[in-house]
Amino acid sequence: MPRTNAPKSTAPATRSHRVRHARGDAAQWQVINRVVYPVLDQDLTMPLYAIEWTRPHMSEGTLDPHKDFVSLDFAQMTKTEFRDLLEDTARTRPADDAHVVFRVDGRTSLTVASGRHVSLCTFFNAFPAGYWRRWTHVESVRFGARVRGRGTLMLFRSTGRGLFEPAATIDVDAPNRATHVHADLAMTGLMDGGFFWFDAKAGGDAELTVEDATWSVPVAARRGDDGTLSIAITTFNRAPYCLNQLKAIAADANVRGRLDTIYCTDQGTDLVRDQPDFAAVAKDLGDQLTYVRQRNMGGSGGFARGMYETVKAGKSDYTLLLDDDAISEPESIMRAVQFADYCSRPTIVGGGMFHLDNRTMLYTLGERYNRASYWTQPAAGLEYNHDFATQPLRDSPKLHRRADSDFNGWWMCLIPTVVMREIGLAQPLFIKFDDIDYGLRAEEHGYHTVCLPGVAVWHQAWHAKDPSRTWEGYYLYRNHWICSLLHCDKPSWHFLYGMLFDDAKAGVELVYSAMHLHHLALRDIMRGPDYIADTLATKLGDVRKAREGFPDSATTRDRDDFPAPKAEYIANVKPRPSMIDVRLQAMKTIAKAFVSRGNGMRDTQPDLLIPSRDASWPAYAGVNSAVVTSPDGDSVAWLRRDSTLYRQQTMRGLFLAKELLKRWERLAKEYQSSDMASFEAWGKVFESPENQLQ
């Protein structure tokens, strides 16, 4: 091994940071986070991996939390002062010239141009030290890298408040050959969160190359041996996407070193095995691919099959649930597995979801289940849709706080086999809320879900979907209410309000099929858990048929199939009202719709054209019929007011909601004591003759 350049430490004397030459104790450490860079789509994803260094800008609220106790009086602010405020907020963003600051030489190699400065405080390359401090017994972390050229590596650490400080400095003077350096950092000051990362600055007369940078932890802190995993992918007529997922896994040697098998459960008619490249991928994977055919039982049935096969095989320590159409960062899989290996007890490890159409925007990293409304919300008071291209991790102090979660979406979720053996598999819900229920169920058995920064996939965002206007609305509301029964003995008034409001709102928006599906869902829930399980594979046909005959279900891809509307809806831009004002206005609109005598069933020309983004209750005031665009922008429907039907549906919904509340405690006990998610119950489904497809 070549001699290393002796780095000098500038860490505060009060902290125990050791910067040392590489030496022969490597066997005592295990790499658990490799610093990686994108090889493909660099222009779309680079801010998630490496960014140009900018001058730190710490807000007053970060330095002094008491500043957040005082609201800003915009009414007393002049126009010039407001513009100055906006300009100050955007002042530190660098120009988009990262290509002249650094270049990516390979998956684990980066070269900084002479005189330039790069920061690795990014989603995929900052080490989530606060999470390791909370959920493992790791007490120190080692940074290591191979460097060449001249410059400086500066290690930093942050706290849960987003405050950060230097941890170590490593001077590099190795113009002719690569040399190894490393530094040990103590896991202190991280109780509320915090990250470790490094910045790299090249000398004024030479480039600086950083290769194979890693974060390692002591092997002695691991709970057992290196764990192995099976991957469960379920697909329905998304054969090309699923095949790409298989190719990505097959190409990653590190993942395959831990992989037992991929359970690819194909529930469609356009089969993955019929894709041109499938044979080559299957040959490459060998016995690391298990292809399964079964009836369409939705995401819950497909993922449950992978979980079931993993438990039955008895070889894997974990099952990774992975969406067929997600683009995965393979390093995320390794990080999830290795974090799970070191957790002090079996833990579900989830990954975040980035938007597929905006690759730097994080939809969410961990969510909580609101026990009053029974809907989901971001963890730790954060918000959905954070764009790291405009708000880097270093300058987003709220993201440095450790966010504890109740569940993780099943776009990517690692579940220990011991957890599945104890609490069972997915509920037979077809789609929606199966992932939420599983996280809550695990939590009730003492198993936590950790949504780990640096672990994520890219997935199609939800803004092109609106389940409440399609057949999916049946499953959305039915499974929402079932999940509430499973985890709440008594409902709140907030829950009742939400149930009735959603029903009435659908009618105000002239989507009467949605009201009908709500009522079908309520009736089915009250039939009990056995009915839900028994109709898993057949209910979709009933739901689709139940929507027929309603104007909102008759869509066309040709606008000219309908007469031209009299006018186009344009949202009235007003100051944003308070939530109380919005609710009062909504209740007034519902009341007017209930007593209305309007009828658009015989209209020969629509009153309005309403774009999808504006298709909410304010747009329908005084409108008897409207042509409305679908959320995916691919079709339109001619919605017509039927006031008599609306009154009938509203009263029907009120009656069914009252019946559900009357039976709540008995139904809650039935669902909570049901074995429909057990290994044995699913075994009967999977092994039944009608599920044996070739």
Side-chain angles (χ1 to χ4, degrees):
M1 179 182 296
R3 294 181 61 187
T4 61
N5 180 61
K8 68 179 182 181
S9 173
T10 60
T14 56
R15 294 193 181 274
S16 174
H17 301 297
R18 293 170 290 165
V19 182
R20 305 184 298 185
H21 298 285
R23 43 184 252 186
D25 60 353
Q28 301 175 20
W29 296 81
Q30 182 176 27
V31 173
I32 42 82
N33 268 54
R34 296 191 310 159
V35 175
V36 296
Y37 309 102
V39 178
L40 302 174
D41 301 329
Q42 292 184 8
D43 54 334
L44 301 177
T45 64
M46 189 59 76
L48 301 178
Y49 296 86
I51 58 174
E52 178 184 359
W53 180 89
T54 57
R55 181 180 61 82
H57 179 77
M58 199 69 66
S59 69
E60 283 188 293
T62 302
L63 296 170
D64 181 5
H66 295 90
K67 294 285 186 182
D68 291 336
F69 293 171
V70 181
S71 62
L72 190 63
D73 188 354
F74 284 97
Q76 301 300 317
M77 186 178 293
T78 67
K79 197 170 185 178
T80 300
E81 289 172 336
F82 181 68
R83 285 178 176 171
D84 289 344
L85 175 66
L86 295 180
E87 290 173 2
D88 183 64
T89 301
R91 192 168 291 150
T92 60
R93 297 278 65 80
D96 186 15
D97 63 347
H99 61 285
V100 301
V101 177
F102 63 88
R103 69 173 183 270
V104 171
D105 303 315
R107 180 65 168 153
T108 62
S109 179
L110 180 101
T111 296
V112 185
S114 60
R116 305 311 292 264
H117 199 166
V118 172
S119 177
L120 278 295
C121 186
T122 57
F123 179 85
F124 280 122
N125 283 329
F127 176 70
Y131 289 79
W132 281 81
R133 168 67 176 82
R134 167 65 180 87
W135 299 108
T136 76
H137 293 308
V138 171
E139 296 182 354
S140 62
V141 178
R142 171 170 293 183
F143 167 78
R146 188 170 63 173
V147 294
R148 185 174 65 254
R150 290 192 178 93
T152 306
L153 299 185
M154 292 152 286
L155 274 64
F156 290 89
R157 58 185 300 141
S158 67
T159 68
R161 288 174 56 188
L163 300 170
F164 57 90
E165 64 183 15
T169 299
I170 304 175
D171 291 330
V172 179
D173 186 9
N176 300 319
R177 62 176 182 175
T179 185
H180 293 266
V181 296
H182 70 259
D184 294 352
L185 278 65
M187 297 282 279
T188 55
L190 299 166
M191 189 62 72
D192 293 329
F195 288 86
F196 296 160
W197 72 89
F198 74 94
D199 293 348
K201 185 176 183 179
D205 59 348
E207 295 180 331
L208 175 63
T209 298
V210 183
E211 300 174 326
D212 301 327
T214 59
W215 298 94
S216 303
V217 297
V219 176
R222 193 173 59 203
R223 193 174 71 250
D225 296 330
D226 284 342
T228 63
L229 79 156
S230 289
I231 298 177
I233 301 175
T234 181
T235 187
F236 177 79
N237 291 346
R238 288 176 173 173
Y241 295 98
C242 186
L243 184 63
N244 287 338
Q245 191 71 277
L246 296 178
K247 287 179 179 179
I249 298 170
D252 193 281
N254 290 324
V255 172
R256 293 188 63 177
R258 293 288 193 99
L259 178 66
D260 288 321
T261 189
I262 304 168
Y263 292 107
C264 179
T265 303
D266 198 334
Q267 303 183 123
T269 54
D270 179 14
L271 302 181
V272 179
R273 70 185 181 194
D274 294 338
Q275 292 293 299
D277 295 338
F278 177 78
V281 175
K283 182 179 180 181
D284 181 9
L285 287 167
D287 60 4
Q288 288 186 311
L289 174 63
T290 302
Y291 185 81
V292 180
R293 286 275 291 123
Q294 71 176 26
R295 292 184 299 167
N296 181 23
M297 291 182 272
S300 65
F303 282 133
R305 184 62 183 268
M307 299 162 80
Y308 172 82
E309 296 293 343
T310 301
V311 174
K312 188 172 71 170
K315 295 191 300 182
S316 300
D317 298 287
Y318 311 103
T319 297
L320 178 72
L321 309 185
L322 190 61
D323 255 348
D324 59 344
D325 60 343
I327 298 177
S328 58
E329 162 56 78
E331 196 67 22
S332 292
I333 299 176
M334 289 300 299
R335 291 175 181 178
V337 173
Q338 290 177 308
F339 179 77
D341 283 347
Y342 280 85
C343 284
S344 55
R345 61 167 305 170
T347 300
I348 297 173
V349 183
M353 186 193 111
F354 283 97
H355 288 216
L356 196 57
D357 53 3
N358 189 350
R359 301 283 290 275
T360 58
M361 182 170 285
L362 179 68
Y363 168 66
T364 186
L365 182 72
E367 295 174 272
R368 303 303 292 260
Y369 190 65
N370 188 309
R371 308 287 175 163
S373 66
Y374 308 121
W375 281 109
T376 60
Q377 62 189 40
L382 301 179
E383 297 179 351
Y384 292 110
N385 303 318
H386 180 94
D387 192 349
F388 285 99
T390 58
Q391 298 172 290
L393 177 61
R394 190 194 64 182
D395 299 332
S396 303
K398 286 186 177 181
L399 297 185
H400 289 243
R401 173 183 171 183
R402 191 191 73 252
D404 294 336
S405 305
D406 289 330
F407 69 95
N408 193 88
W410 280 0
W411 45 74
M412 180 184 186
C413 190
L414 185 82
I415 305 175
T417 304
V418 294
V419 174
M420 294 185 290
R421 287 198 184 104
E422 180 175 341
I423 76 170
L425 312 181
Q427 297 285 0
L429 300 179
F430 197 78
I431 57 172
K432 314 291 185 186
F433 275 84
D434 45 355
D435 47 6
I436 299 172
D437 163 73
Y438 203 87
L440 297 177
R441 198 179 348 145
E443 191 173 48
E444 289 163 2
H445 284 77
Y447 297 108
H448 295 284
T449 296
V450 177
C451 305
L452 188 65
V455 175
V457 296
W458 287 272
H459 191 276
Q460 187 63 48
W462 314 133
H463 46 245
K465 299 179 180 180
D466 185 356
S468 66
R469 293 170 58 188
T470 70
W471 59 266
E472 293 185 21
Y474 167 84
Y475 293 102
L476 175 66
Y477 287 99
R478 187 200 70 175
N479 297 345
H480 168 213
W481 298 327
I482 289 176
C483 188
S484 303
L485 284 165
L486 285 166
H487 302 286
C488 178
D489 294 330
K490 292 184 179 180
S492 67
W493 284 106
H494 193 113
F495 175 80
L496 175 61
Y497 167 81
M499 181 187 298
L500 296 176
F501 179 81
D502 289 341
D503 200 41
K505 175 177 173 292
V508 168
E509 295 171 358
L510 312 184
V511 188
Y512 300 122
S513 72
M515 298 182 77
H516 184 57
L517 293 185
H518 292 177
H519 306 159
L520 177 61
L522 285 168
R523 291 197 301 270
D524 288 349
I525 289 170
M526 288 186 279
R527 292 180 178 185
D530 290 342
Y531 177 81
I532 300 297
D534 292 343
T535 58
L536 172 63
T538 60
K539 195 63 189 180
L540 177 57
D542 297 338
V543 171
R544 289 184 181 277
K545 189 169 183 60
R547 290 191 73 233
E548 294 177 1
F550 292 93
D552 61 89
S553 68
T555 62
T556 177
R557 299 185 65 185
D558 190 345
R559 263 273 309 274
D560 292 334
D561 287 346
F562 299 136
K566 298 174 185 177
E568 182 174 349
Y569 177 77
I570 299 176
N572 190 8
V573 180
K574 293 181 178 179
R576 180 171 293 183
S578 68
M579 182 56 67
I580 293 177
D581 291 337
V582 170
R583 288 176 176 171
L584 287 174
Q585 187 60 43
M587 297 308 295
K588 290 179 182 179
T589 303
I590 290 171
K592 287 181 180 179
F594 188 78
V595 300
S596 171
R597 293 294 182 266
N599 191 334
M601 299 303 292
R602 296 175 182 169
D603 282 7
T604 57
Q605 183 181 16
D607 293 328
L608 274 184
L609 171 67
I610 303 178
S612 175
R613 65 166 294 166
D614 297 321
S616 187
W617 57 267
Y620 294 88
V623 174
N624 280 335
S625 69
V627 172
V628 182
T629 311
S630 64
D632 61 6
D634 200 42
S635 63
V636 293
W638 188 355
L639 278 56
R640 301 165 182 264
R641 184 179 300 280
D642 187 336
S643 297
T644 301
L645 177 62
Y646 180 57
R647 281 187 286 275
Q648 293 172 348
Q649 293 272 53
T650 300
M651 297 307 296
R652 181 64 176 163
L654 185 60
F655 169 78
L656 289 169
K658 181 181 176 182
E659 283 297 303
L660 177 63
L661 294 179
K662 189 194 313 183
R663 306 182 196 179
W664 187 280
E665 292 187 31
R666 177 176 60 81
L667 283 169
K669 290 179 181 178
E670 285 185 29
Y671 278 92
Q672 291 169 17
S673 62
S674 170
D675 72 340
M676 61 180 182
S678 70
F679 182 86
E680 292 75 19
W682 275 112
K684 293 177 182 177
V685 174
F686 297 140
E687 305 300 336
S688 64
E690 59 266 30
N691 197 49
Q692 305 308 307
L693 304 181
Q694 299 300 318

